[in-house]
Amino acid sequence: MSHSTPTVLAVSGSLREGSYTRTALQYVLRAATEAGAETTLLDLREYDLPVYDPDLDEQGDEQEVKALMREADAVALGTPVYHGSYSGALKNFHDYCGWDEYEDTTVGLLATAGGGSYGSTLDHLQITVRGVHGWVLPHQVGLRNANEKFENDPDAIDGRRFRDTDLQERVEKLGRSLTEYAFIDPSVTSTRAAGDD
């Protein structure tokens, strides 16, 4: 990990062609780039990741996606809301990655809902990332009724722009936060904590 230019990876957990999740993550990455990061989109549609089988040493593009995770200083996980949780594609990717990929990595979360609820999706992601020692940013983003949040614009990212500039600002703040806190020291030791022993 370089401590001069942070690397930010965005993982799109949607397999849809016209994914709102992917579009929103592109805005996250643009903001991270503008804040000084080197950025990469890991679009799960483009990788061969069979259903994770712990009895197999290596499957499909496992080594490639794990290397991208290990090399990133900060990671944005984006997913559509499926049945109140995150997508199977993202879960399968998540199963391939463990402590070696997540430990002490800054992680930002983004969920796009077809309806009005995304809270449990962000909660589930936060719990599972903590389980592999990732550091989840307090600033998380959820988009309700995602299909209503964008309008077509051929000059915009992915040919779409946000209708609501406040929501766009929230999404872009995630990219800036990932850049700003990419090298956060995860130590929980403090003078006060030491005195409590």
Side-chain angles (χ1 to χ4, degrees):
M1 289 186 192
S2 164
H3 285 265
S4 54
T5 301
T7 57
V8 176
L9 176 72
V11 181
S12 177
S14 174
L15 302 183
R16 290 186 61 201
E17 183 66 30
S19 168
Y20 298 111
T21 302
R22 193 175 308 108
T23 298
L25 285 173
Q26 296 277 27
Y27 277 87
V28 169
L29 291 179
R30 183 179 72 176
T33 299
E34 291 173 351
E38 293 180 1
T39 63
T40 303
L41 176 67
L42 196 167
D43 185 343
L44 292 178
R45 295 178 310 162
E46 299 173 358
Y47 292 86
D48 174 29
L49 284 180
V51 174
Y52 177 68
D53 183 343
D55 288 332
L56 297 179
D57 288 337
E58 187 174 330
Q59 299 183 81
D61 295 327
E62 172 183 356
Q63 294 305 320
E64 186 176 351
V65 298
K66 288 169 73 172
L68 286 169
M69 282 291 293
R70 284 193 300 272
E71 292 164 8
D73 299 306
V75 175
L77 298 179
T79 181
V81 174
Y82 289 163
H83 306 304
S85 192
Y86 52 99
S87 71
L90 188 60
K91 175 65 168 74
N92 189 51
F93 165 81
H94 201 23
D95 287 343
Y96 277 97
C97 300
W99 288 1
D100 288 343
E101 288 71 42
Y102 277 103
E103 189 161 30
D104 299 340
T105 299
T106 303
V107 179
L109 305 179
L110 180 143
T112 58
S117 178
Y118 55 76
S120 59
T121 302
L122 293 174
D123 288 344
H124 294 170
L125 278 173
Q126 183 174 15
I127 290 165
T128 57
V129 170
R130 280 201 324 246
V132 285
H133 297 185
W135 287 83
V136 179
L137 291 172
H139 179 76
Q140 301 171 18
V141 179
L143 282 69
R144 293 185 173 92
N145 304 307
N147 64 322
E148 300 174 3
K149 303 306 182 196
F150 297 95
E151 60 187 12
N152 293 333
D153 180 346
D155 297 324
I157 293 176
D158 266 0
R160 294 176 175 149
R161 67 180 175 88
F162 279 93
R163 295 178 187 273
D164 182 342
T165 55
D166 288 341
L167 182 57
Q168 179 176 336
E169 168 57 26
R170 282 187 52 77
V171 170
E172 291 175 342
K173 180 179 177 183
L174 186 62
R176 293 191 300 271
S177 296
L178 285 164
T179 304
E180 181 178 357
Y181 297 108
F183 302 124
I184 191 169
D185 181 358
S187 172
V188 293
T189 305
S190 70
T191 305
R192 181 173 178 182
D196 290 340
D197 289 342

